[in-house]
Amino acid sequence: CGNTNTCSQTVTVNCCTNPCPPQPLLLFNTGVGTNGAVLADYAIDSHYILTSNPNSGSTNAFVVSPVPGGWLSNTSTSKWIGPTTNGAGVAGTYIYRITFNLPCTNNPVITGQWAVDNDGSILLNGNPTPVATLTGGGSGNFSSWHPFTIASGLVVGQNTLTFYVTNASGATGLRVELSGSARCCCVPPPTNMVAWYPLDEPNGATAVNDLAGFNNQGTPKQGGSLGTPNGPNAVPGEVG
């Protein structure tokens, strides 16, 4: 009939709740196993590797027991580690390293507290500017906690915290408690993507939603829904 109609649409897609809630990072305290429980006395802490050990050259860091006089007591949250099971060590600088993964760099933050015998510094990803230092060689370095925060310098993927512990003489050890989070659920789709799945649906969902704007819904395999035993578990911060 010769008539032409024109319309426009604006579609807003929210990738998750607003504000995006912080999601915890997988971090380990000293003297703690993979399951989060403290290790037995004298056990090897596999998360903290000694990359420099003047005492023996071994890469093993042991849970120290009994705790030398003046040190913070071991607890059900963390324990002291050192180059030997009783904390004895020659003078020198001991270097402990722990690695962890960061799924995104949206407002990541790590908070922690630490203690050393005698002095120490913390480096992130090899940056020569320390995150925190403990100096002076006094007993306060190992008799009380010292808090620190990391809010910059973190990267997507593997990150490394390196703890330098300088021992003047006698006992030496490191004590660390860590926690952290990042807001990884809101990941915008890159341009020219055919499909972008944030995988933020709850377990039990029978479809995963595409955020690229083409409405390409996906179906979880094997059993047709998210979550054990039917299909994969939804993982916050993961995008496919």
Short mmCIF file of all heavy atoms in Angstrom, two decimals, residues 22 136 188 202 240:
data_model
loop_
_atom_site.label_atom_id
_atom_site.label_comp_id
_atom_site.label_asym_id
_atom_site.label_seq_id
_atom_site.Cartn_x
_atom_site.Cartn_y
_atom_site.Cartn_z
N PRO A 22 31.76 -9.31 45.12
CA PRO A 22 33.13 -9.82 45.13
C PRO A 22 33.16 -11.33 45.28
O PRO A 22 32.35 -11.91 46.02
CB PRO A 22 33.76 -9.12 46.33
CG PRO A 22 32.62 -8.78 47.22
CD PRO A 22 31.46 -8.51 46.31
N GLY A 136 64.17 -3.65 61.43
CA GLY A 136 64.61 -3.34 62.79
C GLY A 136 65.05 -4.53 63.60
O GLY A 136 65.72 -4.38 64.63
N PRO A 188 32.21 -7.95 29.92
CA PRO A 188 31.51 -7.57 28.69
C PRO A 188 32.05 -8.34 27.49
O PRO A 188 33.24 -8.68 27.45
CB PRO A 188 31.83 -6.07 28.56
CG PRO A 188 33.13 -5.91 29.27
CD PRO A 188 33.08 -6.89 30.42
N PRO A 202 22.84 -20.51 37.69
CA PRO A 202 22.99 -21.41 38.84
C PRO A 202 23.02 -22.87 38.39
O PRO A 202 22.52 -23.22 37.31
CB PRO A 202 21.74 -21.11 39.68
CG PRO A 202 20.73 -20.66 38.67
CD PRO A 202 21.51 -19.88 37.64
N GLY A 240 33.04 -18.41 28.61
CA GLY A 240 33.36 -19.30 27.51
C GLY A 240 32.95 -18.74 26.18
O GLY A 240 32.11 -17.89 26.09
#
